[in-house]
Amino acid sequence: MKIIALIAVIGILVLQAAGAIPLASVGGPLTIGLVFIAAALAVGIHEAWTEKRGVLGWIVNIVVSFVGALVGAQLGGFVIVMLLSLTGMMEGSIAKTGGLPMSFALAGGMLATLAGACGALWIVNRWR
């Protein structure tokens, strides 16, 4: 899971550095959301593969990791915005500010999303 998190954070930061995340349109949030969901699904697939789950286990892992990722992204986004606003680094929105605050928000959001996916899988595995 650590490797998935590292690759996901590096990937989202490379997308930002390359300018592949448009800041002035709907495409930016959609791109970010797609990368977050892809990383969360990778966590669910990895767990199903390593634990040698059956077909139902694969379906449950993918659905649970997706739902956990949605919850983790929302909670993580809230915390990151609060941290950035307390430090005074933001001048309006995060996308408008850009630079280091945007990188921090993307990396933190990715880690929160993956933590939500892993946490949800951990809870479901406790019930199995």
Side-chain angles (χ1 to χ4, degrees):
M1 301 288 181
K2 294 175 188 174
I3 299 296
I4 293 173
L6 181 65
I7 291 170
V9 168
I10 290 171
I12 196 81
L13 293 176
V14 166
L15 283 175
Q16 183 206 10
I21 300 175
L23 300 178
S25 69
V26 176
L30 286 175
T31 303
I32 294 167
L34 180 65
V35 175
F36 281 18
I37 289 171
L41 293 178
V43 167
I45 291 169
H46 175 266
E47 203 271 340
W49 182 276
T50 57
E51 298 297 323
K52 296 179 177 45
R53 305 276 184 218
V55 174
L56 184 60
W58 276 73
I59 293 169
V60 168
N61 271 18
I62 290 172
V63 170
V64 166
S65 68
F66 179 74
V67 171
L70 292 177
V71 172
Q74 292 298 314
L75 295 175
F78 176 74
V79 169
I80 289 168
V81 168
M82 296 305 287
L83 288 174
L84 287 175
S85 64
L86 287 175
T87 60
M89 294 175 69
M90 286 182 21
E91 302 162 2
S93 70
I94 294 174
K96 179 183 170 190
T97 304
L100 186 61
M102 179 75 170
S103 298
F104 177 74
L106 288 173
M110 179 61 78
L111 292 176
T113 300
L114 295 178
C118 290
L121 286 171
W122 179 78
I123 290 170
V124 168
N125 285 336
R126 299 277 296 167
W127 290 344
R128 288 184 185 176

